[in-house]
Amino acid sequence: MTPAELASVVLAAAHAVFEQRGLDRAALPASTVVERPRNPEHGDYASTLALQLSKKVGVPPRELATALADELGRAQGVKSVEIAGPGFLNIRLDAAAAGQLARVIVESGAEYGRSDRLAGEKINLEFVSANPTGPVHIGGVRWAAVGDALSRLLRATGADVGTEYYFNDAGSQIDRFARSLLAAAKGEPAPEDGYGGAYIAEIAAEVQARRPEVSSLDDDAAQEVFRVEGVALMFDEIRSSLRDFGVEFDTYFNEKDLHDRGELDLALNRLREQGHLYESEGATWLRTTDFGDDKDRVLRKSNGEWTYFAADCAYYLDKRERGFERVVIMLGADHHGYIGRMKAMSACFGDDPERNLEILIGQLVNLLRDGAPMRMSKRAGTVITLEDLVEAIGVDASRYALARYSSDSPIDIDIELWTRATRDNPVYYVQYVAARTAGVARNAAEVGLVPGDADAFRPELLDHEKENELLKALAEFPAVVATAAELREPHRVARYLEESVAASYHRFYDNCRVLPLGDEKITDLHRARLWLNNATRTVIANGLYLLGVSAPERM
């Protein structure tokens, strides 16, 4: 029995009690939840339904809990119900009901853990969005791992998600990039405000190979060639490195398109219609202070140039016009000050900033070698890059390490820890269970032990304490996925895989032998345990998929 099925049984019991007592059934909720008690000795699951309904119907909570317990105790699959405190219901399932979960998981396969919790939500999720002036640095890599995992979680809970990478091929940063390429091509040092690192020389050489005529052009014309060709090469490299990291975007959005299509003027007109624009000192301002910003923002300077914030406004409007109800933007730690102005901008368009716009801030990442932070990339020269991280610990460990922690807290990634083939390496600890469950299934097949038909599965045989513990851990997966998606916290999945599933499986494996010993006859208990082993493999694989990490069959 899954937690959702048990919750339905609890609610059905409540309906029966209300009918017997003539209570107003309109007070009953459309659904309820059951949770695992903190202390396993209190039962398999707990419900607070009696406490929730007591005041609504004027019945003391313990009295209502007693009636619910009597009715629930007659339900199929419920072994016992105890009342605790002011009216908590502690529920124990019989072994057959608990064990049936193994069959449900195996038969559901990749679908187990998915739900329609966020069905109907259309979400635009923008992350990474590094300007094409250099390789993706480690801060951007964090958003690549977390953002991609979040997109998987949102889709797994029914949301319609569009992932997006926003890049800028104009502006002062791109000008500095082009001047740096030109300097490298001429054998000169990088401009004082330019970009250094071996990648600049590499790209400059590639541009010269593609466009040999650039060497005969004057500096202004040559700089334009380096700008156009260099940005294209750099962005191709960014896309390629992200693809190798397992991250693809539905849309790569170019800021230049906003200008070329006149979308900045469209946004300006829309904001003017809403009554939030004013002119001062020859510039056009947005009155964001009306919605809590610390100061009003310039959209168009007195010389006619657009500001970056004007492009932000146009880009937000473009997303909303494409039908996205919720715009989620993931930004680095140095962008915390953007939250107020962006929320105010959303309100200026007539939107609800709490519903239509969500901004997530990620904190810094340090890569440690021998206990000390690495500061310089071999290639970039200034920062640690995606390639540096992957070269040091691999794609799986990188993605797991970056998604394992709450994104609003800084993290240190210790190269020695994350390359260690021991249980203290979190990704190894989880992937080892994936490999062990696959190995058990292979070894079982070799000795003629197969799960057999589902109708012949005897779940009541899974009555060992460690089997029950593992079943309860596996039952939590759908709720963990839904909560991680709703709270935008992929790290909940990683911690669940480690602390609940992997830990419980190791204890199960050590105490409940799946394979027959020697000439021992294969029994229904062996088959039942094989179902549970395979169910564990399914949950581990599904959870790792949501993090963009592989579930190996061998290690």
Side-chain angles (χ1 to χ4, degrees), residues 360-376:
L360 307 177
I361 299 293
Q363 294 300 321
L364 301 175
V365 182
N366 288 314
L367 186 61
L368 306 183
R369 188 187 295 277
D370 299 325
M374 292 176 60
R375 299 295 185 192
M376 302 285 281

Side-chain angles (χ1 to χ4, degrees), residues 77 79 93-100 459-463 471:
K79 181 179 180 181
L93 302 180
D94 61 37
Q100 280 290 356
E460 70 275 9
L461 298 177
L462 298 174
D463 59 359
L471 283 163

Side-chain angles (χ1 to χ4, degrees), residues 435 437-447 553-554:
T437 52
V440 167
R442 283 194 306 273
N443 294 336
E446 289 176 3
V447 299
E553 295 193 356
R554 289 180 170 84

Side-chain angles (χ1 to χ4, degrees), residues 8-336:
S8 296
V9 171
V10 172
L11 196 57
H15 275 275
V17 168
F18 272 48
E19 185 173 358
Q20 293 162 9
R21 293 183 162 230
L23 300 175
D24 182 9
R25 283 193 287 178
L28 289 166
S31 62
T32 188
V33 295
V34 292
E35 300 174 340
R36 284 184 63 180
R38 292 183 181 178
N39 186 345
E41 295 180 1
H42 293 165
D44 297 325
Y45 294 99
S47 171
T48 60
L49 188 61
L51 296 170
Q52 298 169 28
L53 297 175
S54 176
K55 285 186 178 180
K56 293 182 179 179
V57 296
V59 177
R62 275 193 73 90
E63 180 182 334
L64 187 55
T66 300
L68 283 171
D70 289 343
E71 184 67 31
L72 190 56
R74 291 190 285 272
Q76 185 176 3
V78 175
K79 181 179 180 181
S80 65
V81 184
E82 297 173 356
I83 303 167
F88 295 101
L89 295 174
N90 289 333
I91 307 164
R92 285 181 170 82
L93 302 180
D94 61 37
Q100 280 290 356
L101 180 67
R103 177 188 57 79
V104 170
I105 293 172
V106 172
E107 292 182 341
S108 299
E111 292 301 307
Y112 182 68
R114 294 177 174 268
S115 69
D116 59 359
R117 183 78 70 91
L118 299 181
E121 288 201 29
K122 188 169 184 181
I123 300 172
N124 181 281
L125 179 62
E126 180 200 341
F127 57 100
V128 184
S129 293
N131 283 329
T133 55
V136 179
H137 63 76
I138 199 165
V141 182
R142 184 176 196 176
W143 275 141
V146 174
D148 188 63
L150 181 54
S151 73
R152 293 167 185 242
L153 281 164
L154 293 170
R155 286 170 174 145
T157 46
D160 180 1
V161 181
T163 58
E164 196 140 320
Y165 186 116
Y166 178 71
F167 70 98
N168 173 11
D169 63 355
S172 59
Q173 288 181 319
I174 301 298
D175 289 340
R176 298 204 310 270
F177 177 64
R179 284 189 279 109
S180 301
L181 293 175
L182 178 60
K186 295 167 69 174
E188 299 173 354
E192 187 175 337
D193 61 348
Y195 295 92
Y199 79 96
I200 289 292
E202 292 169 8
I203 292 175
E206 180 65 22
V207 172
Q208 288 175 300
R210 287 188 175 194
R211 299 283 300 274
E213 75 278 9
V214 71
S215 58
S216 61
L217 300 176
D218 62 52
D219 281 358
D220 288 343
Q223 183 173 313
E224 178 61 17
V225 171
F226 279 110
R227 186 190 71 79
V228 174
E229 298 289 345
V231 164
L233 287 167
M234 190 72 255
F235 194 66
D236 284 347
E237 180 178 324
I238 289 172
R239 290 183 64 166
S240 177
S241 62
L242 287 170
R243 189 181 305 115
D244 292 342
F245 196 59
V247 179
E248 290 269 16
F249 291 87
D250 299 319
T251 301
Y252 293 89
F253 195 100
N254 189 341
E255 181 188 346
K256 187 172 181 293
D257 291 340
L258 294 171
H259 294 264
D260 294 345
R261 297 197 299 246
E263 293 194 41
L264 279 84
D265 286 307
L266 177 65
L268 200 73
N269 292 336
R270 187 73 58 85
L271 291 167
R272 183 173 283 111
E273 291 168 4
Q274 294 288 333
H276 300 298
L277 290 188
Y278 66 94
E279 307 292 327
S280 178
E281 299 178 355
T284 303
W285 297 70
L286 181 63
R287 193 176 283 106
T288 52
T289 50
D290 286 350
F291 298 100
D293 195 8
D294 58 347
K295 61 181 180 180
D296 292 340
R297 305 289 170 175
V298 176
L299 297 183
R300 200 168 213 164
K301 301 176 185 178
S302 57
N303 63 3
E305 291 182 0
W306 295 103
T307 63
Y308 283 120
F309 188 60
D312 290 337
C313 294
Y315 186 36
Y316 173 80
L317 181 61
D318 180 273
K319 291 176 178 178
R320 294 285 286 118
E321 293 287 293
R322 281 186 272 148
F324 291 105
E325 299 259 333
R326 185 181 291 270
V327 173
V328 181
I329 308 172
M330 306 174 105
L331 299 174
D334 56 342
H335 287 74
H336 200 278

Side-chain angles (χ1 to χ4, degrees), residues 328-384:
V328 181
I329 308 172
M330 306 174 105
L331 299 174
D334 56 342
H335 287 74
H336 200 278
Y338 277 54
I339 297 176
R341 74 187 74 169
M342 293 293 287
K343 290 282 189 180
M345 173 267 290
S346 171
C348 287
F349 276 117
D351 283 349
D352 177 355
E354 299 309 309
R355 176 174 174 271
N356 300 117
L357 178 62
E358 191 173 337
I359 298 177
L360 307 177
I361 299 293
Q363 294 300 321
L364 301 175
V365 182
N366 288 314
L367 186 61
L368 306 183
R369 188 187 295 277
D370 299 325
M374 292 176 60
R375 299 295 185 192
M376 302 285 281
S377 167
K378 295 177 183 176
R379 183 161 177 265
T382 53
V383 294
I384 302 301

